[in-house]
């Protein structure tokens, strides 16, 4: 029981740290989210915090992973459609610090040998897969026509979202949801055979 | 003559530093492009280098500005069409370090109060304007139909390019030119009245 108890306690502490880090980053952005503040709020010293996460890099990567799981559970899994994806984007406007962490860290991690490089490669594939599934569902439900290259359309939506969010960080008046909705409409419009009947 | 000579010499040195910094960043990326290496290559001490650029941040911003001027002169001005823009993207695949600097620095500068924030806001407007002009020209030349919201299409191309380049940094097998060409085709296809004649 002793070791198992310690292991379970470690897991619980890790969860607590992630929840606090998510909150601190969401409010302050990644540069101002100090490990000191996170450590204080979970009642640990900084070395104590680093016992749970080997490095600041690992902590950030796990914060991003925890955020993806949250968004998946909260928005996309209940509504695995493009609309569910837009709910995630809508939520992003409330957590600018996380969007900033994601954007900066994705760019930073592209350097050869960065410890989070594999994480981002995996994540890109995962997001593209979710969007591709949403497009397939839209086809099944008759919202999207047959003439769409699903992988290509998913790529475009992911790239446009990623690019847009950096613009939005600089200019919060940009309506990401409206812009992505128009991309979806563009894909939808061109997805029907030209001689076919377009839904109203 | 004395002061004018000193001023001219200062300008020339600044140009030389920027050219070297552009080269060092293009090859090494922004993290490994040390001010030490740049200073050594232009025959200055690090404080001597910082006499010309107040900070590392200002140097990076000016590197990005010099790169935009280079790309404009070399690729877009001679061919101010979407094809000219694709030439810039094609060139980007040869200067991964600059793409990485741009992506990381754009995300970093989105933090409130960052000295390069205004630079990026201005740059976004500038790039969108260039693309909008390319779309108008495509309409004049009959390549693009009348039914396109120019500002919206320019936004999409800029966002998709920005998002794509971070994916490309992580996975250089991604063909940015091919993907952006398909975005252009999507816009072109939906730009003609449905009952109209589509060019072959």
């Amino acid at each position: 029981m002793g070791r198992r108890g310690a292991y379970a306690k470690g897991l619980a502490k890790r969860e607590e740290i992630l929840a606090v880090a998510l909150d601190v980053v969401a409010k302050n952005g990644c540069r101002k989210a100090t490990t000191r503040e996170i450590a204080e709020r979970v009642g640990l010293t900084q070395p104590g915090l680093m016992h749970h996460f080997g490095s600041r890099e690992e902590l950030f990567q796990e914060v991003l992973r925890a955020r993806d799981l949250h968004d998946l559970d909260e928005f996309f899994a209940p509504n695995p459609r493009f609309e569910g994806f837009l709910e995630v984007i809508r939520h992003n406007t409330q957590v600018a610090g996380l969007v900033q962490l994601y954007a900066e860290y994705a760019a930073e991690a592209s350097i050869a040998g960065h410890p989070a490089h594999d994480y981002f490669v995996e994540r890109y594939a995962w997001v593209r897969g979710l969007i591709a599934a949403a497009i397939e569902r839209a086809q099944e439900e008759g919202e999207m026509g047959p003439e769409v290259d699903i992988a290509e359309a998913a790529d475009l939506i992911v790239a446009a979202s990623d690019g847009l969010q950096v613009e939005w960080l600089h200019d919060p008046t940009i309506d990401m949801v409206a812009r992505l909705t128009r991309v979806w409409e563009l894909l939808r419009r061109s997805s029907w055979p030209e001689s076919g009947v377009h839904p109203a």
Side-chain angles (χ1 to χ4, degrees), chain A:
Chain A
M1 187 72 190
R3 284 194 79 76
R4 226 172 118 196
Y7 182 70
K9 267 175 73 179
L11 281 183
K13 197 67 191 174
R14 204 178 143 98
E15 287 298 295
E16 186 195 345
I17 294 166
L18 279 180
V20 166
L22 210 65
D23 188 46
V24 171
V25 172
K27 278 182 199 137
N28 302 345
C30 68
R31 300 253 156 174
K32 288 178 188 160
T34 61
T35 50
R36 189 172 145 188
E37 179 178 350
I38 297 166
E40 269 172 18
R41 281 188 44 185
V42 294
L44 289 172
T45 60
Q46 286 185 70
L49 180 71
M50 286 302 134
H51 169 74
H52 293 272
F53 294 90
S55 62
R56 193 164 184 267
E57 281 69 31
E58 196 190 325
L59 176 59
F60 280 161
Q61 179 180 313
E62 293 312 310
V63 163
L64 290 176
R65 212 190 291 272
R67 171 217 190 188
D68 278 340
L69 279 177
H70 166 273
D71 290 355
L72 185 67
D73 283 356
E74 184 89 7
F75 306 110
F76 197 77
N79 189 12
R81 294 173 178 82
F82 186 65
E83 183 53 42
F85 174 70
L86 289 183
E87 286 298 327
V88 177
I89 303 292
R90 224 168 254 130
H91 173 65
N92 280 348
T93 64
Q94 306 301 313
V95 288
L98 283 168
V99 175
Q100 210 274 326
L101 169 64
Y102 170 82
E104 188 170 348
Y105 204 47
E108 178 192 320
S110 68
I111 291 177
H114 193 286
H117 166 70
D118 290 349
Y119 165 75
F120 281 101
V121 170
E122 265 177 49
R123 188 187 182 277
Y124 278 123
W126 174 72
V127 176
R128 281 196 293 256
L130 291 182
I131 303 291
I135 296 171
E136 279 172 11
R137 182 178 276 249
Q139 285 184 317
E140 285 161 23
E141 296 178 346
E143 186 193 350
M144 181 75 77
E147 294 191 358
V148 59
D149 181 321
I150 292 175
E152 191 180 300
D155 283 347
L156 172 58
I157 290 168
V158 173
S161 307
D162 280 353
L164 258 182
Q165 70 186 359
V166 182
E167 285 188 65
W168 170 80
L169 286 168
H170 282 283
D171 175 6
T173 67
I174 288 174
D175 186 338
M176 292 190 283
V177 169
R179 293 227 203 150
L180 290 170
T181 300
R182 294 205 203 103
V183 175
W184 182 255
E185 280 307 308
L186 190 68
L187 290 165
R188 234 172 63 76
R189 268 206 316 273
S190 75
S191 72
W192 302 95
E194 290 180 40
S195 53
V197 180
H198 295 218

